[in-house]
Amino acid sequence: MKCSVVICVYTEERWDDIRAAVESVEGQSRPAHELILVVDYNPDLHLRLKREYPHAIVVENAHEKGLSGGKNTGADVATGDIVVYLDDDAVADPGWLEALEEGFQDPAVVGVGGRTLPLWASGRRPRWYPYEFDWTVGCTYRGMPETRAPIRNVMGGNAAFRREVIGAVGGFRTGIGRSVQGKKSRPLGCEETEFCIRLSQSRPGSVMLYEPRAVIGHKVPAARRNSATSAAGATPRACPRPWSRPAWARATACPASARTP
């Protein structure tokens, strides 16, 4: 089984983060079939990455601007059996790719997501910050399974899908994927939530799997931590608590929804 790793990038301001993400992919115990860097409408960054990483496949986003368009471009270019997505501000543990790949041994599995741990800019977790709200900074939260288990949807920055199913269901919706460039910035995520739900509906019996051994660290800058504070404060009304199972099961639009079905 061959895995194509896709990292979507958009700004030189994250150059050090991009380098760290690429190095973590290059240090995998089970090497990737290929590394694809998708640049979101930034010609200067595109040229810089092509010079820096001649061994990687560096392409420009061929779809609508934003993260969803970048993910679709990566899937278009990929030649592996599995398309694996890693955030540009994340670093993967050496066994990350191997753990994700093993989840696909069952032919019913169409997607696998891993465990995402916060890397706080301050160097340590704020004492007041509840683990149940780690989803507000794009990380695994308390209430998710402790062992490998089926889930409704994976988290997009640490996810893998069978390549053939991505195009078969129309890829990621470009109207909701994050886009933070220009005057029409769209700081919205959850494109993977909608994609996973649509994929499961189109293929009854297919399985999304959570594999906690596939670990990455996701950087949480101070600005994002502060913005997440507001989200956490509003969460009891905007998003049912993890322990409120019946309401949780109905909250299909909730970002913190990578739960067991």
Side-chain angles (χ1 to χ4, degrees):
M1 192 172 294
K2 298 178 180 178
C3 291
S4 301
V5 177
V6 176
I7 302 176
C8 297
V9 304
Y10 69 97
T11 177
E12 294 93 331
E13 293 178 5
R14 287 191 174 183
W15 181 255
D16 290 341
D17 292 340
I18 295 169
R19 287 179 57 89
V22 170
E23 289 174 6
S24 73
V25 174
E26 293 175 336
Q28 291 298 300
S29 58
R30 182 172 297 178
H33 167 60
E34 59 193 358
L35 171 62
I36 302 170
L37 303 176
V38 183
V39 185
D40 195 27
Y41 290 82
N42 187 330
D44 291 339
L45 180 58
H46 176 246
L47 291 175
R48 186 177 182 184
L49 286 168
K50 286 182 74 71
R51 290 193 297 265
E52 183 77 11
Y53 299 109
H55 58 284
I57 300 170
V58 182
V59 298
E60 295 181 279
N61 182 2
H63 293 270
E64 185 177 333
K65 180 182 290 187
L67 183 55
S68 289
K71 288 183 174 182
N72 290 335
T73 298
D76 292 343
V77 173
T79 61
D81 307 295
I82 307 299
V83 180
V84 184
Y85 295 103
L86 178 68
D87 272 355
D88 64 344
D89 57 351
V91 289
D93 280 9
W96 167 71
L97 199 57
E98 182 175 3
L100 288 175
E101 184 179 328
E102 288 177 357
F104 289 97
Q105 299 306 312
D106 180 349
V109 173
V110 294
V112 180
R115 185 182 181 199
T116 301
L117 304 177
L119 300 177
W120 302 95
S122 63
R124 59 180 175 177
R125 180 186 190 88
R127 289 190 301 170
W128 54 267
Y129 202 87
Y131 288 88
E132 287 82 0
F133 293 136
D134 279 5
W135 64 268
T136 65
V137 291
C139 295
T140 302
Y141 53 92
R142 180 177 290 164
M144 290 185 67
E146 296 294 330
T147 59
R148 180 189 290 183
I151 54 175
R152 192 193 67 181
N153 63 272
V154 302
M155 290 186 169
N158 181 5
F161 302 96
R162 294 190 188 275
R163 179 166 59 90
E164 71 270 14
V165 306
I166 299 175
V169 298
F172 295 88
R173 297 291 192 211
T174 56
I176 57 175
R178 189 180 302 274
S179 178
V180 294
Q181 296 188 64
K183 296 181 179 179
K184 296 183 179 180
S185 294
R186 186 179 62 242
L188 303 175
C190 294
E191 74 286 340
E192 74 280 6
T193 302
E194 190 277 336
F195 173 80
C196 289
I197 293 172
R198 179 161 34 92
L199 176 56
S200 296
Q201 290 175 340
S202 69
R203 294 182 172 236
S206 62
V207 176
M208 298 287 173
L209 200 64
Y210 174 62
E211 175 50 81
R213 295 183 302 115
V215 180
I216 70 168
H218 182 242
K219 298 178 182 179
V220 184
R224 185 166 188 186
R225 185 199 69 180
N226 294 339
S227 65
T229 303
S230 299
T235 296
R237 288 173 296 192
C239 177
R241 293 181 178 91
W243 50 86
S244 178
R245 190 187 63 80
W248 183 273
R250 296 192 297 271
T252 57
C254 174
S257 56
R259 295 278 295 174
T260 51

